[in-house]
Amino acid sequence: MRDNIMKIRLLITGGTIDKVYNQSNGELEFDQTHFPEILSRARVEVDLLIEELLLIDSLDMVDSDRELILEKCVKCDERFILVTHGTDTMCETAKLLGEGSIDKTIVLFGSMVPYAVSGSDAFFNFGCALGSVQLLKAGVYIVMNGRILPWSDVEKNRSLGIFQTRSS
């Protein structure tokens, strides 16, 4: 019966969601992805295949990094894809994927506060993204703050720290 279970690819690219606080220098930095712990804590029952591509801040992401994400989305067998991503340049990556006209459902998500920090939005955003990817039609979306936004009409409102439609 497990053959009927939807397979979802989770591409890890970094961003705030996977950062940790370094007490010795007061900086947020990367150690390793938190997703094995997140998946265990969330008691995820879907067939999720994790692939760590990058662990970088999205401000450090270059065109070749975005091309790698695009290539992985195109070439993977799964039709449902989650992408962790830093919030600063998430819209740029979503645009590249959206313009690629990939016949798959791709959901980008991240967090404003690292998973490892108290009060993080990471767990909520992951849950929304995981549920959304299973219900949405093919296309590219950003799922943040409890909202599902298509790649073609989304922006980060930096002053409010939220994602919204461009017309908001």
Side-chain angles (χ1 to χ4, degrees):
M1 196 68 180
R2 288 201 46 92
D3 291 338
N4 293 333
I5 293 177
M6 177 184 298
K7 292 184 183 205
I8 301 170
R9 173 77 55 164
L10 172 60
L11 300 176
I12 308 288
T13 71
T16 297
I17 199 166
D18 262 330
K19 287 187 174 181
V20 293
Y21 179 72
N22 181 330
Q23 292 181 348
S24 64
N25 65 15
E27 303 271 326
L28 288 173
E29 55 191 39
F30 296 101
D31 179 25
Q32 61 187 12
T33 183
H34 295 288
F35 274 88
E37 178 184 338
I38 291 171
L39 297 176
S40 174
R41 235 183 105 204
R43 301 177 61 178
V44 171
E45 290 295 322
V46 298
D47 193 354
L48 201 65
L49 301 147
I50 302 173
E51 185 174 356
E52 186 177 312
L53 300 182
L54 311 160
L55 274 181
I56 62 173
D57 188 293
S58 71
L59 289 173
D60 296 328
M61 196 173 275
V62 295
D63 290 345
S64 60
D65 296 325
R66 285 189 178 76
E67 290 293 332
L68 173 64
I69 297 167
L70 174 64
E71 177 185 334
K72 291 293 184 173
C73 288
V74 168
K75 290 186 176 179
C76 75
D77 292 333
E78 296 76 29
R79 297 189 42 76
F80 304 94
I81 304 166
L82 294 171
V83 180
T84 70
H85 202 288
T87 63
D88 286 312
T89 66
M90 187 183 289
C91 294
E92 287 89 333
T93 301
K95 182 177 189 282
L96 176 72
L97 297 174
E99 289 176 346
S101 300
I102 306 165
D103 189 26
K104 298 179 181 185
T105 305
I106 303 170
V107 171
L108 291 86
F109 72 100
S111 66
M112 300 295 184
V113 178
Y115 168 76
V117 174
S118 178
S120 174
D121 55 336
F123 208 64
F124 176 75
N125 289 337
F126 167 66
C128 289
L130 181 60
S132 297
V133 77
Q134 297 175 69
L135 299 172
L136 293 166
K137 65 179 182 172
V140 177
Y141 306 87
I142 288 179
V143 174
M144 291 284 295
N145 318 111
R147 299 187 74 194
I148 302 167
L149 302 162
W151 72 270
S152 58
D153 188 23
V154 63
E155 67 182 6
K156 181 178 178 182
N157 182 323
R158 295 183 193 289
S159 62
L160 296 177
I162 62 169
F163 284 82
Q164 62 188 26
T165 60
R166 287 193 190 101
S167 56
S168 293

